[in-house]
């Protein structure tokens, strides 16, 4: 059995991006560890915060609930401040993850990898999927941490933009409502389109048996409108969007394999 460490930028990113693979790995007997880089302090502030409760308190509690559903064996917090979206003043906060020294942050992640004797570590693609400064930083930090710790396998979570474009164009052709602001080909936070092209990916992993876990993990992040918006998707659309998770594995031959990156 393998030990797999997933590195995510904010509490709730694990639910939306890799909870299917995390739950599948747990179900197969692997050890799954989550490292969360930031406190998510610039997420939505719920109206029902109790006296003395902060957004950070709530988001940590929600993440713990999400990972209890997934079955994650350990959750480690790096404790950096959320950097906000590109161009926000929070980008320059002295404690923001975006401003953190990459080598220092990588050493902290590497310490977890060594402690866990990790076989696999999973970060983000080169632009963090959609260009959020914290996601871009996760890419750099995780890649360096894998080098420092000598972790045998390093993967990058991404999204299959080619499949999204095909689905989008089919919906438009069928006259379905795709929403005013949604187009997977459009520039995202850093000016690049969402995710990766199919030919840039290495793994397409079927996690459709774990859609209920993914829904429950997203439900746990009740304070965050993005997570709740995903839950409003019709069942068929939710399954199409979240039934597969995609990864890049630098060093593998070109070509996307439909399979499971932890297969014997």
């Amino acid at each position: 059995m393998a030990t797999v460490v997933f590195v995510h930028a904010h509490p709730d990113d694990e639910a939306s991006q890799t909870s299917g693979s995390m739950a599948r790995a747990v179900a197969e007997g692997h050890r799954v560890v989550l490292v969360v880089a930031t406190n998510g302090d610039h997420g939505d502030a719920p109206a029902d915060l109790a006296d003395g409760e902060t957004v950070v308190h709530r988001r940590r509690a929600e993440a713990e609930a999400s990972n209890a559903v997934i079955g994650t064996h350990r959750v480690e917090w790096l404790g950096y401040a959320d950097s906000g979206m590109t161009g926000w003043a929070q980008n320059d906060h002295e404690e923001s993850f975006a401003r953190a020294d990459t080598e220092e942050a990588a050493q902290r992640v590497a310490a977890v990898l060594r402690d866990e004797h990790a076989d696999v570590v999973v970060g983000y693609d080169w632009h963090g999927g959609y260009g959020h400064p914290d996601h871009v930083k996760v890419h750099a930090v995780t890649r360096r941490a894998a080098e420092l710790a000598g972790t045998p396998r390093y993967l990058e979570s991404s999204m299959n933009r080619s499949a999204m474009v095909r689905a989008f164009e089919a919906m438009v052709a069928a006259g379905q409502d795709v929403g005013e602001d949604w187009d997977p080909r459009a520039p995202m936070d850093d000016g690049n389109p969402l995710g990766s092209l199919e030919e840039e990916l290495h793994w397409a992993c079927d996690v459709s048996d774990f859609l209920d876990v993914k829904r429950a993990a997203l439900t746990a992040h009740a304070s965050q409108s993005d997570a709740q918006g995903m839950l409003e998707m019709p069942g068929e659309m939710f399954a199409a969007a979240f039934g597969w998770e995609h990864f890049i594995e630098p060093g593998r031959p070109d070509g996307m394999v439909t399979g499971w990156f932890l297969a014997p």
Side-chain angles (χ1 to χ4, degrees):
M1 294 295 102
T3 295
V4 190
V5 177
F6 291 81
V7 184
H8 280 287
H10 312 100
D12 81 357
D13 285 331
E14 87 292 339
S16 59
Q17 294 189 46
T18 63
S19 58
S21 294
M22 294 168 73
R24 179 173 175 178
V26 169
E28 293 180 359
H30 302 289
R31 179 170 172 82
V32 172
V33 174
L34 171 65
V35 176
V36 187
T38 80
N39 295 318
D41 34 316
H42 294 305
D44 298 326
D48 63 343
L49 286 176
D51 289 344
E53 184 185 20
T54 66
V55 171
V56 171
H57 291 146
R58 177 65 62 89
R59 298 202 70 186
R60 284 199 175 211
E62 289 177 344
E64 296 292 344
S66 167
N67 282 280
V69 170
I70 295 167
T72 309
H73 297 92
R74 173 184 176 185
V75 178
E76 188 72 23
W77 297 84
L78 298 186
Y80 291 101
D82 188 334
S83 306
M85 303 297 281
T86 300
W88 287 15
Q90 290 90 336
N91 296 174
D92 297 321
H93 190 285
E94 62 181 8
E95 295 180 4
S96 74
F97 188 46
R99 283 196 58 185
D101 181 78
T102 298
E103 191 72 8
E104 179 182 343
Q107 288 283 6
R108 296 178 64 190
V109 176
V112 177
L113 299 179
R114 294 189 194 100
D115 184 51
E116 290 288 343
H117 303 287
D119 301 288
V120 186
V121 61
V122 183
Y124 295 159
D125 66 26
W126 68 274
H127 68 125
Y130 68 106
H132 189 297
D134 288 330
H135 287 239
V136 176
K137 191 76 169 189
V138 163
H139 166 77
V141 166
T142 308
R143 187 168 189 136
R144 179 58 178 147
E147 295 172 351
L148 291 168
T151 304
R153 294 181 67 190
Y154 163 73
L155 277 70
E156 299 171 355
S157 173
S158 191
M159 291 161 276
N160 187 340
R161 184 166 75 247
S162 302
M164 291 182 181
V165 169
R166 289 194 295 269
F168 175 80
E169 291 178 342
M171 291 176 68
V172 171
Q176 297 180 36
D177 181 13
V178 294
E180 295 181 4
D181 300 324
W182 168 241
D183 185 339
R185 301 163 300 191
M188 300 300 289
D189 198 49
D190 62 349
N192 293 292
L194 192 67
S196 304
L197 293 172
E198 206 157 79
E199 55 264 33
E200 298 171 321
L201 298 166
H202 294 104
W203 294 102
C205 299
D206 184 357
V207 296
S208 56
D209 288 345
F210 300 91
L211 284 173
D212 287 347
V213 175
K214 197 152 197 169
R215 278 191 174 277
L218 286 166
T219 300
H221 293 283
S223 70
Q224 300 306 298
S225 58
D226 285 351
Q228 299 314 301
M230 294 172 191
L231 292 170
E232 293 172 1
M233 297 169 67
E236 185 176 340
M237 185 180 295
F238 186 89
F242 295 112
W244 293 85
E245 292 177 354
H246 296 87
F247 302 91
I248 296 167
E249 185 168 2
R252 279 186 64 88
D254 291 345
M256 186 178 74
V257 174
T258 299
W260 177 227
F261 69 86
L262 292 176

